[in-house]
């Protein structure tokens, strides 16, 4: 299939990018900070890696605790305008103080955005959030009604997500993207779904596939075959060449010959390199998809900035991941074991994107 081979020109590009990435690791300049402000959620999605629910049994992190970390551990060391704060969950819109949080971080000079399923987003709430400084929104939208509502397990989810997309698209001051988790029934309908998004005025679209964590671990209905996975990448490749909508594959794993053709850049894992997260229980990690065994500290007992500067060893030196199938892989220099979220509690790789394409 076209796009699978790594030609000489692309290999040279990957080598250059690998050197630049090594410099980025050495500098580890913080550019994105996720705040997992809640594990509460108004949905119970089949593919949720965090196993969020209406009552997760874990209290929300108090806003004051997060702001204290910003004021004492982050702001003294960076320029706030250069670090994007992303509020994530759970579902962030279940927090009644989300606008207060937005106003407080905006007052401190930080741009902020959120990730939402759109179920609770209406025009009034969006206006309220934008008044509080909201700059970017990512909305989950996983296909046509049958597929989307099946994944989200709510018959209203598709309609509410579509309405949320319409609201966001109509706000020219907002940066946004639509995020689609592609499952098997949607592969054959991607062209049709693309036309729906274009008709709704969507310009930015991000696609990913399921990896086996959380509820998705035991649900085979969510998994793509290797052939379907290649079809998805071919679809992205074609669509990018058309230029009618800006679509990309998520930053999940190394894609061999598709590198440089389905994203705006070659593969890299930003977790612990330019991106950090503060989890709902105070844990400090790379991104909110990564398991607890990779936590580097906790804001309630450690200095966030000391952790960011001097820990994250497993994130920045990936030699530990050169085991199993990775040990002899010729792509190791470019991949370094894939995304940190793809490794289990023992550090073993659960899912290799490149192997699926071989």
């Amino acid at each position: 299939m076209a796009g699978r081979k790594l030609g000489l020109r692309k290999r040279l590009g990957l080598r250059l990018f690998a050197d630049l990435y090594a410099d980025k690791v050495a500098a580890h300049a913080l550019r994105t900070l996720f705040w997992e402000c809640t594990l509460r959620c108004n949905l119970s999605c089949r593919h949720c890696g965090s196993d969020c629910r209406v009552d997760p049994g874990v209290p929300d992190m108090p806003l004051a605790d997060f702001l204290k970390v910003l004021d004492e551990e982050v702001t003294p060391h960076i320029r706030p305008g250069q670090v994007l704060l992303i509020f994530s969950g759970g579902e962030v819109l279940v927090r009644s103080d989300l606008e207060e949080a937005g106003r407080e971080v905006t007052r401190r000079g930080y741009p902020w955005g959120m990730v939402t399923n759109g179920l609770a987003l209406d025009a009034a709430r969006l206006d309220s959030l934008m008044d509080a400084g909201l700059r970017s929104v990512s909305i989950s939208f996983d296909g046509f009604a049958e597929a989307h509502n099946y994944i989200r397990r709510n018959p209203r989810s598709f309609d509410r997500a579509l309405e949320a997309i319409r609201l966001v698209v109509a706000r020219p001051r907002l940066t946004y993207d639509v995020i689609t988790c592609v499952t098997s029934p949607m592969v054959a309908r991607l062209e049709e779904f693309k036309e729906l998004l274009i008709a709704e005025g969507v310009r930015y679209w991000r696609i990913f596939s399921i990896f086996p964590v959380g509820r998705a671990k035991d649900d085979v209905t969510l998994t793509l075959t290797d052939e379907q996975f290649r079809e998805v990448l071919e679809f992205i490749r074609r669509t990018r060449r058309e230029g009618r909508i800006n679509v990309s594959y998520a930053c999940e794993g190394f894609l061999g010959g598709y590198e440089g053709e389905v994203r705006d850049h070659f593969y890299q894992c930003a977790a612990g390199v330019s991106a950090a997260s503060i989890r709902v229980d105070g844990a400090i990690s790379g991104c909110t998809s990564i398991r607890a065994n990779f936590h580097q500290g906790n804001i309630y007992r450690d200095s966030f900035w000391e952790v960011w500067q001097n820990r994250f060893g497993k994130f920045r030196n990936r030699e530990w991941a050169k085991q199993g199938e990775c040990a002899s892989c010729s792509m190791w220099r470019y991949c370094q074991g894939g995304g940190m979220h793809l490794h289990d509690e023992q550090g073993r790789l659960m899912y290799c994107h490149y192997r699926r394409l071989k």
Side-chain angles (χ1 to χ4, degrees):
M1 183 175 287
R4 288 175 57 192
K5 293 184 178 180
L6 266 176
L8 176 60
R9 184 176 178 181
K10 191 169 290 186
R11 285 180 182 270
L12 291 173
L14 283 166
R15 288 172 189 169
L16 176 61
F17 190 79
D19 291 339
L20 293 172
Y21 181 68
D23 292 340
K24 191 174 183 178
V25 171
H28 54 267
L30 184 64
R31 291 292 178 259
T32 306
L33 177 59
F34 292 89
W35 180 34
E36 186 183 60
C37 60
T38 183
L39 282 182
R40 291 183 294 139
C41 193
N42 49 16
L43 291 175
S44 182
C45 304
R46 295 179 187 275
H47 68 313
C48 182
S50 301
D51 201 24
C52 302
R53 50 179 67 87
V54 173
D55 180 9
V58 180
D60 296 353
M61 177 180 286
L63 172 59
D65 294 359
F66 178 65
L67 294 177
K68 182 179 180 182
V69 174
L70 281 187
D71 292 342
E72 298 180 6
E73 299 289 342
V74 181
T75 303
H77 304 284
I78 54 90
R79 294 180 180 177
Q82 295 181 346
V83 178
L84 174 64
L85 303 183
I86 300 179
F87 298 169
S88 69
E91 169 53 47
V92 295
L93 294 177
V94 304
R95 283 193 68 132
S96 60
D97 64 348
L98 195 62
E99 283 85 349
E100 181 186 356
R103 284 191 295 270
E104 287 296 329
V105 300
T106 299
R107 184 169 64 83
R108 288 161 169 80
Y110 290 93
W112 69 278
M114 68 179 187
V115 182
T116 178
N117 59 41
L119 189 67
L121 189 65
D122 57 22
R125 189 79 195 271
L126 182 57
D127 287 340
S128 176
L129 290 164
M130 290 188 67
D131 288 344
L134 177 68
R135 298 271 290 274
S136 69
V137 183
S138 294
I139 299 178
S140 300
F141 196 45
D142 300 317
F144 293 105
E146 183 178 359
H148 181 90
N149 291 342
Y150 173 77
I151 294 174
R152 302 288 165 175
R153 296 205 276 206
N154 186 304
R156 297 174 54 242
S157 182
F158 173 84
D159 291 338
R160 296 300 305 139
L162 181 56
E163 179 57 28
I165 289 167
R166 288 168 176 165
L167 291 170
V168 167
V169 168
R171 304 302 200 274
R173 290 193 293 119
L174 269 181
T175 299
Y176 71 88
D177 63 353
V178 170
I179 307 174
T180 298
C181 167
V182 178
T183 50
S184 184
M186 275 302 300
V187 174
R189 303 191 69 186
L190 282 172
E191 291 285 351
E192 187 183 353
F193 190 57
K194 174 189 72 178
E195 296 300 329
L196 166 66
L197 294 178
I198 292 173
E200 294 291 345
V202 173
R203 296 178 59 195
Y204 304 99
W205 185 21
R206 186 159 32 118
I207 288 175
F208 72 100
S209 53
I210 291 293
F211 54 93
V213 172
R215 295 191 192 110
K217 187 175 183 180
D218 301 314
D219 193 337
V220 296
T221 67
L222 302 174
T223 314
L224 301 182
T225 66
D226 290 351
E227 182 179 359
Q228 287 175 325
F229 181 53
R230 287 192 295 271
E231 287 182 41
V232 170
L233 296 183
E234 283 292 322
F235 165 78
I236 295 173
R237 190 167 170 265
R238 289 194 308 270
T239 301
R240 287 173 66 87
R241 289 183 172 182
E242 289 174 359
R244 297 168 62 215
I245 185 171
N246 187 329
V247 62
S248 64
Y249 190 74
C251 56
E252 289 194 323
F254 180 74
L255 300 174
Y258 288 100
E259 288 296 322
E261 299 183 28
V262 294
R263 299 188 188 102
D264 293 338
H265 52 75
F266 290 130
Y267 168 74
Q268 60 178 321
C269 182
V273 176
S274 61
S277 68
I278 296 175
R279 307 296 293 267
V280 71
D281 61 354
I284 302 168
S285 189
C287 81
T288 55
S289 296
I290 297 171
R291 268 146 300 290
N293 58 308
F294 290 111
H295 290 172
Q296 300 300 296
N298 193 291
I299 64 167
Y300 294 115
R301 64 172 183 267
D302 301 304
S303 159
F304 173 87
W305 195 253
E306 187 279 329
V307 170
W308 175 252
Q309 287 293 86
N310 300 312
R311 301 190 196 179
F312 283 91
K314 282 194 170 183
F315 291 76
R316 297 168 188 167
N317 183 346
R318 301 287 292 275
E319 286 299 315
W320 61 269
K322 203 170 186 179
Q323 57 179 297
E325 63 190 278
C326 294
S328 58
C329 182
S330 61
M331 296 295 108
W332 168 260
R333 178 178 179 182
Y334 316 125
C335 175
Q336 297 197 10
M340 289 289 289
H341 65 292
L342 301 177
H343 292 264
D344 66 14
E345 287 76 6
Q346 287 74 44
R348 297 171 301 204
L349 185 64
M350 298 182 293
Y351 185 101
C352 176
H353 292 74
Y354 178 65
R355 182 177 62 186
R356 301 200 70 188
L357 296 168
K358 289 178 66 175

